[in-house]
Coordinates of all heavy atoms in Angstrom, one line a residue:
M946 N 159.0 114.6 144.0 CA 158.9 115.3 142.7 C 157.8 114.7 141.9 O 157.7 113.5 141.8 CB 160.2 115.3 142.0 CG 160.1 115.8 140.6 SD 161.6 115.9 139.7 CE 162.0 114.2 139.4
T947 N 156.9 115.5 141.3 CA 156.0 114.9 140.4 C 156.2 115.6 139.0 O 156.4 116.8 138.9 CB 154.5 115.3 140.8 OG1 154.3 114.7 142.1 CG2 153.5 114.7 139.8
V948 N 156.3 114.7 138.0 CA 156.5 115.2 136.6 C 155.2 115.0 135.9 O 154.6 113.9 135.9 CB 157.7 114.4 136.0 CG1 157.9 114.9 134.6 CG2 158.9 114.5 136.8
V949 N 154.7 116.0 135.2 CA 153.5 115.9 134.4 C 153.9 116.0 132.9 O 154.7 116.9 132.6 CB 152.5 116.9 134.8 CG1 151.2 116.8 133.9 CG2 152.1 116.8 136.2
A950 N 153.3 115.2 132.1 CA 153.7 115.2 130.7 C 152.5 115.0 129.8 O 151.5 114.3 130.2 CB 154.8 114.2 130.3
L951 N 152.5 115.5 128.6 CA 151.6 115.1 127.5 C 152.3 114.3 126.5 O 153.3 114.7 125.9 CB 151.0 116.4 126.9 CG 150.0 116.1 125.7 CD1 148.8 115.4 126.3 CD2 149.6 117.4 125.0
L952 N 151.8 113.1 126.3 CA 152.4 112.1 125.4 C 151.4 111.8 124.3 O 150.2 111.5 124.5 CB 152.7 110.8 126.1 CG 153.2 109.6 125.3 CD1 154.6 109.9 124.7 CD2 153.2 108.4 126.1
S953 N 151.9 111.9 123.0 CA 151.1 111.5 121.9 C 151.9 110.6 121.0 O 153.0 110.9 120.6 CB 150.7 112.8 121.1 OG 150.1 112.4 119.9
V954 N 151.4 109.4 120.8 CA 152.1 108.4 120.0 C 151.1 107.9 119.0 O 150.0 107.5 119.3 CB 152.5 107.1 120.9 CG1 153.2 106.1 120.0 CG2 153.5 107.6 122.0
A955 N 151.5 108.0 117.7 CA 150.6 107.6 116.6 C 151.4 107.0 115.4 O 152.4 107.6 115.0 CB 149.8 108.8 116.2
P956 N 150.8 106.0 114.9 CA 151.4 105.5 113.6 C 151.0 106.4 112.5 O 150.0 107.1 112.5 CB 150.8 104.1 113.4 CG 149.5 104.2 114.1 CD 149.7 105.2 115.2
M957 N 151.9 106.6 111.5 CA 151.5 107.4 110.4 C 150.8 106.5 109.4 O 151.3 105.7 108.7 CB 152.8 108.0 109.7 CG 153.7 108.7 110.7 SD 152.9 110.1 111.5 CE 152.8 111.3 110.2
T958 N 149.4 106.7 109.4 CA 148.6 105.9 108.6 C 147.3 106.6 108.2 O 146.9 107.6 108.9 CB 148.2 104.6 109.4 OG1 147.3 103.8 108.5 CG2 147.4 104.9 110.7
E959 N 146.7 106.2 107.2 CA 145.4 106.8 106.7 C 144.2 106.2 107.4 O 143.1 106.7 107.4 CB 145.3 106.6 105.2 CG 146.3 107.4 104.4 CD 146.3 108.9 104.5 OE1 145.1 109.4 104.6 OE2 147.3 109.5 104.7
K960 N 144.4 105.0 108.0 CA 143.4 104.3 108.7 C 143.2 104.8 110.1 O 144.0 105.7 110.6 CB 143.7 102.8 108.8 CG 143.9 102.1 107.4 CD 144.3 100.7 107.6 CE 145.7 100.5 108.2 NZ 146.1 99.2 108.3
S961 N 142.2 104.3 110.8 CA 142.0 104.6 112.2 C 143.3 104.2 113.0 O 143.9 103.2 112.8 CB 140.8 103.9 112.8 OG 140.8 104.1 114.2
M962 N 143.6 105.1 114.0 CA 144.8 104.8 114.8 C 144.4 104.3 116.2 O 145.2 104.0 117.0 CB 145.6 106.1 115.1 CG 146.2 106.7 113.8 SD 147.1 108.2 114.2 CE 145.8 109.4 114.4
A963 N 143.1 104.1 116.4 CA 142.6 103.7 117.7 C 143.2 102.4 118.3 O 143.6 102.4 119.5 CB 141.1 103.5 117.7
E964 N 143.4 101.4 117.5 CA 143.9 100.2 118.1 C 145.4 100.3 118.4 O 145.9 99.8 119.5 CB 143.8 99.0 117.1 CG 142.3 98.5 117.0 CD 142.2 97.2 116.3 OE1 143.1 96.4 116.3 OE2 141.1 97.0 115.7
E965 N 146.2 101.0 117.6 CA 147.6 101.3 118.0 C 147.7 102.2 119.1 O 148.6 102.0 120.0 CB 148.4 101.8 116.7 CG 148.5 100.8 115.6 CD 149.2 99.5 116.1 OE1 150.2 99.6 116.9 OE2 148.9 98.4 115.6
V966 N 146.9 103.2 119.2 CA 146.9 104.1 120.4 C 146.6 103.3 121.7 O 147.2 103.5 122.7 CB 146.0 105.3 120.2 CG1 145.8 106.1 121.5 CG2 146.5 106.2 119.1
A967 N 145.6 102.4 121.6 CA 145.2 101.6 122.7 C 146.4 100.7 123.1 O 146.7 100.5 124.3 CB 144.0 100.7 122.4
T968 N 147.2 100.2 122.2 CA 148.4 99.4 122.5 C 149.4 100.2 123.2 O 150.0 99.8 124.2 CB 149.0 98.8 121.2 OG1 148.0 98.0 120.5 CG2 150.2 98.0 121.4
A969 N 149.6 101.5 122.8 CA 150.5 102.4 123.4 C 150.1 102.7 124.9 O 150.9 102.7 125.8 CB 150.7 103.7 122.6
V970 N 148.8 102.9 125.0 CA 148.3 103.2 126.4 C 148.4 102.0 127.3 O 148.8 102.1 128.4 CB 146.8 103.7 126.3 CG1 146.2 103.8 127.7 CG2 146.7 105.1 125.6
E971 N 148.1 100.8 126.7 CA 148.3 99.6 127.5 C 149.7 99.4 128.0 O 149.9 98.9 129.1 CB 147.8 98.4 126.7 CG 147.8 97.1 127.5 CD 146.8 97.1 128.6 OE1 145.7 97.8 128.5 OE2 147.0 96.4 129.6
A972 N 150.7 99.8 127.2 CA 152.1 99.7 127.6 C 152.4 100.5 128.9 O 153.3 100.1 129.6 CB 153.0 100.1 126.5
L973 N 151.7 101.5 129.1 CA 151.9 102.3 130.3 C 151.6 101.6 131.6 O 152.1 101.9 132.7 CB 151.1 103.6 130.2 CG 151.3 104.6 129.1 CD1 150.4 105.7 129.1 CD2 152.8 105.1 129.1
E974 N 150.8 100.5 131.5 CA 150.4 99.8 132.7 C 151.6 99.1 133.4 O 151.5 98.8 134.6 CB 149.4 98.7 132.3 CG 148.0 99.2 132.1 CD 147.4 99.8 133.4 OE1 147.5 99.1 134.5 OE2 146.8 100.9 133.3
E975 N 152.7 98.9 132.7 CA 153.9 98.3 133.2 C 154.7 99.2 134.1 O 155.8 98.8 134.6 CB 154.7 97.7 132.1 CG 154.0 96.6 131.3 CD 153.6 95.4 132.1 OE1 154.4 95.0 133.0 OE2 152.4 95.0 132.0
Y976 N 154.3 100.5 134.1 CA 155.1 101.5 134.8 C 154.4 102.2 136.0 O 153.1 102.1 136.0 CB 155.6 102.6 133.8 CG 156.5 101.9 132.8 CD1 156.0 101.3 131.7 CD2 157.9 101.8 133.0 CE1 156.8 100.6 130.8 CE2 158.7 101.2 132.1 CZ 158.2 100.6 131.0 OH 159.0 99.9 130.1
D977 N 155.1 102.7 136.9 CA 154.5 103.4 138.0 C 154.1 104.8 137.7 O 154.8 105.8 138.1 CB 155.5 103.4 139.2 CG 154.8 103.9 140.5 OD1 153.6 103.9 140.6 OD2 155.6 104.3 141.4
V978 N 153.1 105.0 136.8 CA 152.6 106.3 136.3 C 151.1 106.3 136.4 O 150.5 105.2 136.3 CB 153.1 106.6 134.9 CG1 154.6 106.6 134.8 CG2 152.5 105.6 133.9
A979 N 150.6 107.5 136.6 CA 149.1 107.7 136.5 C 148.9 108.3 135.1 O 149.8 109.1 134.6 CB 148.7 108.6 137.6
Y980 N 147.8 108.0 134.5 CA 147.6 108.6 133.1 C 146.1 108.7 132.8 O 145.3 108.0 133.4 CB 148.3 107.7 132.0 CG 147.7 106.3 131.9 CD1 146.6 106.0 131.1 CD2 148.3 105.3 132.6 CE1 146.1 104.8 131.0 CE2 147.8 104.0 132.5 CZ 146.7 103.7 131.7 OH 146.2 102.5 131.6
E981 N 145.8 109.6 131.9 CA 144.5 109.8 131.4 C 144.6 110.2 129.9 O 145.3 111.2 129.6 CB 143.7 110.9 132.2 CG 142.3 111.1 131.7 CD 141.6 112.1 132.6 OE1 142.0 112.5 133.7 OE2 140.5 112.5 132.1
T982 N 143.9 109.5 129.1 CA 143.9 109.7 127.7 C 142.8 110.7 127.3 O 141.7 110.6 127.9 CB 143.7 108.4 126.9 OG1 144.9 107.6 127.2 CG2 143.7 108.6 125.4
N983 N 143.1 111.6 126.5 CA 142.1 112.6 126.0 C 142.2 112.6 124.4 O 143.0 111.8 123.9 CB 142.3 114.0 126.6 CG 143.6 114.6 126.2 OD1 144.0 114.7 125.0 ND2 144.4 114.9 127.2
P984 N 141.4 113.3 123.7 CA 141.4 113.3 122.3 C 142.7 113.7 121.6 O 142.9 113.3 120.5 CB 140.3 114.3 121.8 CG 139.4 114.4 123.0 CD 140.3 114.2 124.2
M985 N 143.6 114.4 122.3 CA 144.8 114.8 121.7 C 146.1 114.2 122.2 O 147.2 114.4 121.7 CB 144.9 116.4 121.9 CG 143.8 117.2 121.3 SD 143.7 116.9 119.5 CE 145.2 117.7 119.0
G986 N 145.9 113.3 123.2 CA 147.1 112.6 123.7 C 146.8 112.0 125.1 O 145.6 111.8 125.4
T987 N 147.8 111.7 125.8 CA 147.7 111.1 127.1 C 148.5 111.9 128.1 O 149.7 112.1 127.9 CB 148.1 109.6 127.1 OG1 147.3 108.9 126.2 CG2 148.0 109.0 128.5
V988 N 147.8 112.3 129.2 CA 148.5 113.0 130.2 C 149.1 112.0 131.2 O 148.4 111.1 131.6 CB 147.6 114.0 131.0 CG1 148.3 114.7 132.2 CG2 147.1 115.1 130.0
I989 N 150.4 112.1 131.5 CA 151.0 111.1 132.4 C 151.6 111.9 133.6 O 152.2 112.9 133.4 CB 152.2 110.4 131.6 CG1 151.7 109.7 130.4 CG2 152.9 109.4 132.6 CD1 152.8 109.1 129.5
E990 N 151.5 111.3 134.7 CA 152.2 111.8 135.9 C 153.1 110.7 136.5 O 152.7 109.5 136.6 CB 151.1 112.1 137.0 CG 150.3 113.3 136.6 CD 149.3 113.7 137.7 OE1 149.7 114.2 138.7 OE2 148.1 113.4 137.5
A991 N 154.3 111.1 136.8 CA 155.3 110.1 137.4 C 156.0 110.8 138.5 O 156.1 112.0 138.6 CB 156.2 109.6 136.3
D992 N 156.7 110.0 139.3 CA 157.5 110.6 140.4 C 158.9 111.0 140.0 O 159.6 111.7 140.7 CB 157.6 109.5 141.6 CG 156.3 109.4 142.3 OD1 155.5 110.3 142.3 OD2 156.1 108.3 142.9
S993 N 159.3 110.5 138.8 CA 160.6 110.8 138.3 C 160.6 110.9 136.8 O 159.8 110.3 136.1 CB 161.7 109.8 138.8 OG 161.5 108.6 138.1
T994 N 161.6 111.6 136.3 CA 161.8 111.7 134.8 C 162.2 110.3 134.3 O 161.8 110.0 133.2 CB 162.7 112.8 134.4 OG1 164.0 112.6 135.1 CG2 162.2 114.2 134.7
D995 N 163.0 109.6 135.1 CA 163.4 108.2 134.6 C 162.2 107.4 134.3 O 162.1 106.7 133.3 CB 164.3 107.6 135.7 CG 165.7 108.2 135.8 OD1 166.1 108.9 134.9 OD2 166.3 108.0 136.9
E996 N 161.2 107.3 135.3 CA 160.0 106.5 135.1 C 159.2 107.1 133.9 O 158.7 106.3 133.1 CB 159.2 106.5 136.4 CG 158.1 105.5 136.4 CD 158.6 104.0 136.5 OE1 159.8 103.8 136.7 OE2 157.7 103.1 136.3
L997 N 159.1 108.4 133.8 CA 158.3 109.0 132.7 C 158.9 108.6 131.4 O 158.2 108.2 130.5 CB 158.3 110.5 132.9 CG 157.5 111.2 131.8 CD1 156.1 111.1 132.0 CD2 157.9 112.7 131.8
F998 N 160.2 108.8 131.2 CA 160.9 108.5 129.9 C 160.8 107.0 129.6 O 160.6 106.6 128.4 CB 162.3 108.9 129.9 CG 162.5 110.4 129.7 CD1 163.2 111.1 130.7 CD2 162.1 111.0 128.6 CE1 163.4 112.5 130.5 CE2 162.2 112.4 128.4 CZ 162.9 113.1 129.4
A999 N 160.9 106.1 130.6 CA 160.8 104.7 130.4 C 159.4 104.3 129.9 O 159.2 103.6 128.9 CB 161.1 103.9 131.6
A1000 N 158.4 104.9 130.5 CA 157.0 104.7 130.1 C 156.7 105.2 128.7 O 156.1 104.6 127.9 CB 156.0 105.3 131.1
A1001 N 157.2 106.4 128.4 CA 157.0 107.0 127.1 C 157.7 106.1 126.0 O 157.1 105.9 124.9 CB 157.5 108.4 127.0
Q1002 N 158.9 105.6 126.3 CA 159.6 104.8 125.3 C 158.8 103.5 125.1 O 158.7 103.0 124.0 CB 161.0 104.5 125.8 CG 161.7 103.6 124.8 CD 163.2 103.3 125.1 OE1 163.7 103.9 126.1 NE2 163.8 102.5 124.3
A1003 N 158.3 102.9 126.2 CA 157.5 101.7 126.0 C 156.2 101.9 125.2 O 155.9 101.1 124.3 CB 157.1 101.2 127.4
A1004 N 155.6 103.0 125.4 CA 154.4 103.4 124.6 C 154.8 103.5 123.1 O 154.1 103.0 122.2 CB 153.7 104.6 125.1
H1005 N 155.9 104.2 122.9 CA 156.4 104.4 121.5 C 156.7 103.1 120.9 O 156.3 102.8 119.7 CB 157.6 105.3 121.5 CG 158.2 105.5 120.2 ND1 157.8 106.4 119.2 CD2 159.3 104.8 119.6 CE1 158.5 106.3 118.1 NE2 159.4 105.3 118.3
D1006 N 157.5 102.3 121.6 CA 157.9 101.0 121.0 C 156.7 100.0 120.8 O 156.8 99.1 120.0 CB 158.9 100.3 122.0 CG 160.2 101.0 122.0 OD1 160.5 101.9 121.1 OD2 161.0 100.8 122.9
A1007 N 155.6 100.2 121.5 CA 154.5 99.3 121.4 C 153.7 99.5 120.1 O 153.0 98.6 119.7 CB 153.5 99.5 122.6
V1008 N 153.8 100.6 119.5 CA 153.1 100.9 118.3 C 153.7 100.3 117.1 O 154.9 100.4 116.9 CB 152.9 102.4 118.1 CG1 152.3 102.7 116.7 CG2 152.1 103.0 119.2
D1009 N 152.9 99.5 116.3 CA 153.4 98.8 115.1 C 153.2 99.7 113.9 O 152.1 100.2 113.7 CB 152.7 97.5 115.0 CG 153.2 96.7 113.8 OD1 154.5 96.8 113.5 OD2 152.5 95.9 113.2
G1010 N 154.2 99.9 113.1 CA 154.1 100.6 111.9 C 155.4 100.9 111.3 O 156.4 100.8 111.9
D1011 N 155.4 101.3 110.0 CA 156.6 101.6 109.3 C 157.1 103.0 109.8 O 158.3 103.2 109.7 CB 156.3 101.7 107.8 CG 156.0 100.4 107.2 OD1 156.4 99.3 107.8 OD2 155.3 100.3 106.2
R1012 N 156.2 103.8 110.3 CA 156.6 105.1 110.8 C 155.7 105.5 111.9 O 154.5 105.4 111.9 CB 156.4 106.1 109.6 CG 156.9 107.5 110.0 CD 156.9 108.4 108.7 NE 157.3 109.7 109.0 CZ 157.2 110.7 108.2 NH1 156.7 110.5 107.0 NH2 157.7 111.9 108.5
V1013 N 156.3 105.9 113.0 CA 155.6 106.3 114.3 C 156.0 107.7 114.7 O 157.2 108.0 114.7 CB 155.9 105.3 115.4 CG1 155.1 105.7 116.7 CG2 155.5 103.8 115.0
S1014 N 155.0 108.5 115.0 CA 155.3 109.9 115.4 C 155.0 110.0 116.9 O 153.9 109.6 117.4 CB 154.4 110.8 114.7 OG 154.5 112.1 115.2
T1015 N 156.0 110.4 117.7 CA 155.8 110.6 119.1 C 156.1 112.0 119.5 O 157.2 112.5 119.2 CB 156.6 109.6 119.9 OG1 156.2 108.3 119.6 CG2 156.5 109.8 121.4
V1016 N 155.3 112.6 120.3 CA 155.5 114.0 120.9 C 155.4 113.8 122.4 O 154.4 113.3 122.9 CB 154.5 115.0 120.3 CG1 154.7 116.3 121.0 CG2 154.5 115.1 118.8
L1017 N 156.4 114.4 123.1 CA 156.4 114.3 124.6 C 156.7 115.7 125.1 O 157.7 116.3 124.8 CB 157.4 113.4 125.1 CG 157.6 113.2 126.6 CD1 156.3 112.6 127.2 CD2 158.7 112.3 126.9
K1018 N 155.7 116.3 125.8 CA 155.9 117.6 126.4 C 155.9 117.4 127.9 O 154.9 116.9 128.5 CB 154.7 118.5 126.0 CG 154.8 119.9 126.6 CD 153.6 120.8 126.1 CE 153.8 122.2 126.6 NZ 152.7 123.0 126.2
I1019 N 156.9 117.9 128.6 CA 157.1 117.7 130.0 C 157.1 119.0 130.8 O 157.7 119.9 130.4 CB 158.5 117.0 130.2 CG1 158.5 115.6 129.5 CG2 158.8 116.8 131.7 CD1 159.9 115.0 129.5
D1020 N 156.4 118.9 131.9 CA 156.4 120.0 132.9 C 157.0 119.4 134.2 O 156.4 118.6 134.9 CB 155.0 120.5 133.2 CG 155.0 121.7 134.2 OD1 156.0 122.1 134.7 OD2 153.9 122.2 134.4
D1021 N 158.3 119.7 134.4 CA 159.0 119.2 135.6 C 159.2 120.3 136.6 O 160.2 121.0 136.6 CB 160.4 118.7 135.1 CG 161.2 118.0 136.1 OD1 160.7 117.8 137.2 OD2 162.4 117.7 135.8
K1022 N 158.2 120.5 137.4 CA 158.2 121.5 138.5 C 159.1 121.0 139.6 O 158.7 120.1 140.3 CB 156.8 121.8 138.9 CG 156.6 123.3 139.2 CD 155.2 123.6 139.4 CE 154.7 124.6 138.4 NZ 153.4 125.0 138.7
R1023 N 160.3 121.5 139.8 CA 161.2 121.0 140.7 C 161.2 121.6 142.1 O 161.7 121.1 143.1 CB 162.6 121.1 140.2 CG 162.8 120.3 138.9 CD 164.1 120.5 138.3 NE 164.2 119.6 137.1 CZ 165.2 119.6 136.3 NH1 166.2 120.4 136.5 NH2 165.2 118.8 135.2
D1024 N 160.4 122.7 142.3 CA 160.4 123.4 143.6 C 159.3 123.0 144.5 O 159.2 123.4 145.6 CB 160.4 124.9 143.4 CG 159.2 125.4 142.6 OD1 158.5 124.6 141.9 OD2 159.0 126.7 142.7
R1025 N 158.3 122.3 143.9 CA 157.2 121.8 144.7 C 156.4 120.7 144.0 O 156.5 120.5 142.8 CB 156.2 122.9 145.1 CG 155.5 123.5 143.9 CD 154.6 124.7 144.3 NE 154.1 125.4 143.2 CZ 152.9 125.1 142.6 NH1 152.1 124.1 143.1 NH2 152.4 125.8 141.6
E1026 N 155.6 120.0 144.8 CA 154.8 118.9 144.2 C 153.6 119.5 143.5 O 153.1 120.6 143.9 CB 154.2 118.0 145.4 CG 155.3 117.1 146.0 CD 155.8 116.0 145.1 OE1 155.0 115.4 144.4 OE2 157.0 115.8 145.1
T1027 N 153.2 118.9 142.4 CA 152.1 119.4 141.6 C 151.4 118.2 141.0 O 152.1 117.1 140.9 CB 152.5 120.4 140.6 OG1 151.3 121.0 140.0 CG2 153.3 119.9 139.5
A1028 N 150.2 118.3 140.5 CA 149.5 117.2 139.9 C 148.7 117.8 138.7 O 148.4 119.0 138.7 CB 148.6 116.5 140.8
A1029 N 148.4 117.0 137.7 CA 147.7 117.5 136.6 C 146.3 118.0 136.9 O 145.9 119.1 136.4 CB 147.5 116.3 135.6
D1030 N 145.6 117.4 137.8 CA 144.3 117.9 138.2 C 144.4 119.2 138.9 O 143.5 120.1 138.8 CB 143.5 116.9 139.0 CG 144.2 116.5 140.3 OD1 145.4 116.7 140.5 OD2 143.5 116.0 141.2
E1031 N 145.5 119.5 139.6 CA 145.6 120.8 140.2 C 145.8 121.9 139.2 O 145.3 123.1 139.4 CB 146.9 120.9 141.1 CG 146.8 120.0 142.3 CD 148.1 119.9 143.1 OE1 149.1 120.4 142.6 OE2 148.0 119.3 144.2
K1032 N 146.4 121.6 138.1 CA 146.6 122.6 137.0 C 145.2 122.9 136.4 O 144.9 124.1 136.1 CB 147.5 122.0 135.9 CG 148.9 121.8 136.3 CD 149.6 121.1 135.2 CE 151.1 121.0 135.5 NZ 151.8 122.3 135.3
V1033 N 144.3 121.9 136.2 CA 143.0 122.2 135.7 C 142.2 122.9 136.7 O 141.4 123.9 136.3 CB 142.3 120.8 135.3 CG1 140.9 121.1 134.8 CG2 143.1 120.1 134.2
E1034 N 142.3 122.6 138.0 CA 141.5 123.3 139.0 C 141.9 124.7 139.1 O 141.0 125.6 139.3 CB 141.7 122.6 140.3 CG 141.0 121.2 140.5 CD 141.5 120.4 141.7 OE1 142.3 120.9 142.5 OE2 141.0 119.3 141.8
A1035 N 143.2 125.1 138.9 CA 143.6 126.5 138.9 C 143.0 127.3 137.8 O 142.6 128.4 138.0 CB 145.1 126.5 138.8
V1036 N 142.9 126.7 136.6 CA 142.2 127.4 135.5 C 140.8 127.5 135.8 O 140.2 128.6 135.5 CB 142.5 126.6 134.2 CG1 141.7 127.2 133.0 CG2 144.0 126.6 133.8
E1037 N 140.1 126.5 136.3 CA 138.7 126.5 136.6 C 138.4 127.6 137.7 O 137.5 128.4 137.5 CB 138.3 125.2 137.2 CG 136.8 125.1 137.5 CD 136.3 123.7 137.8 OE1 136.8 122.7 137.2 OE2 135.5 123.6 138.7
E1038 N 139.3 127.8 138.6 CA 139.1 128.8 139.6 C 139.3 130.2 139.0 O 138.5 131.1 139.3 CB 140.2 128.6 140.8 CG 140.0 129.6 141.9 CD 141.0 129.3 143.0 OE1 141.1 128.2 143.4 OE2 141.6 130.3 143.5
A1039 N 140.3 130.3 138.1 CA 140.5 131.6 137.5 C 139.3 132.0 136.5 O 138.9 133.2 136.5 CB 141.7 131.6 136.6
L1040 N 138.7 131.0 135.9 CA 137.5 131.2 135.0 C 136.2 131.4 135.8 O 135.3 132.1 135.3 CB 137.3 130.0 134.1 CG 138.2 129.9 132.8 CD1 138.0 128.6 132.2 CD2 137.8 131.1 131.9
G1041 N 136.2 130.8 137.0 CA 134.9 130.8 137.7 C 133.9 129.8 137.2 O 132.7 129.9 137.5
R1042 N 134.4 128.8 136.4 CA 133.6 127.8 135.9 C 134.5 126.7 135.3 O 135.7 126.9 135.2 CB 132.7 128.3 134.7 CG 133.5 128.9 133.6 CD 132.6 129.3 132.4 NE 133.4 129.9 131.3 CZ 134.1 129.2 130.4 NH1 134.1 127.9 130.4 NH2 134.7 129.9 129.4
P1043 N 133.9 125.5 135.0 CA 134.7 124.5 134.4 C 135.3 125.0 133.1 O 134.7 125.7 132.3 CB 133.7 123.4 134.1 CG 132.6 123.6 135.1 CD 132.5 125.1 135.2
P1044 N 136.6 124.6 132.8 CA 137.2 125.1 131.6 C 136.9 124.3 130.3 O 137.7 123.7 129.7 CB 138.7 124.9 131.9 CG 138.7 123.7 132.9 CD 137.5 123.8 133.7
S1045 N 135.6 124.3 130.0 CA 135.1 123.6 128.8 C 133.8 124.3 128.4 O 133.2 125.0 129.2 CB 134.8 122.1 129.0 OG 133.8 121.9 130.0
S1046 N 133.5 124.1 127.1 CA 132.2 124.7 126.6 C 131.0 123.9 127.1 O 131.2 122.8 127.6 CB 132.2 124.7 125.1 OG 132.1 123.4 124.6
D1047 N 129.9 124.5 127.1 CA 128.7 123.8 127.5 C 128.0 123.1 126.4 O 126.9 122.6 126.5 CB 127.7 124.8 128.2 CG 127.2 125.9 127.3 OD1 127.7 126.0 126.2 OD2 126.5 126.7 127.8
R1048 N 128.7 123.0 125.3 CA 128.2 122.2 124.1 C 128.2 120.7 124.5 O 129.1 120.3 125.0 CB 129.0 122.5 122.9 CG 128.8 123.9 122.4 CD 129.5 124.1 121.1 NE 130.9 124.6 121.5 CZ 131.9 124.7 120.8 NH1 131.9 124.3 119.5 NH2 133.1 125.2 121.2
E1049 N 127.2 120.0 124.1 CA 127.1 118.6 124.3 C 127.4 117.9 123.1 O 127.1 118.1 122.0 CB 125.7 118.2 124.9 CG 125.4 118.9 126.2 CD 126.0 118.2 127.4 OE1 126.1 116.9 127.4 OE2 126.4 118.9 128.3

């Protein structure tokens, strides 16, 4: 089974969140997950929901702050194996082009 999730962990602050987000992402290294950070969060792939939840909790706990906001969206496709890149490739195939603007 492959579980794909979008994780967003952020301290509630007026300052830049980059260092705290980096700390959260670094916490994922302790788990058997694949991940890629984008401007809106981090996509995580794991073999089980147990590993995914443990990694998400570690990322949440790693952020220092009086208030931390965490959002976790999970796609647990139980009838077949899937991967995050396959989801993007399917949209690319349907569009007939990469799923992004050509703006630089």
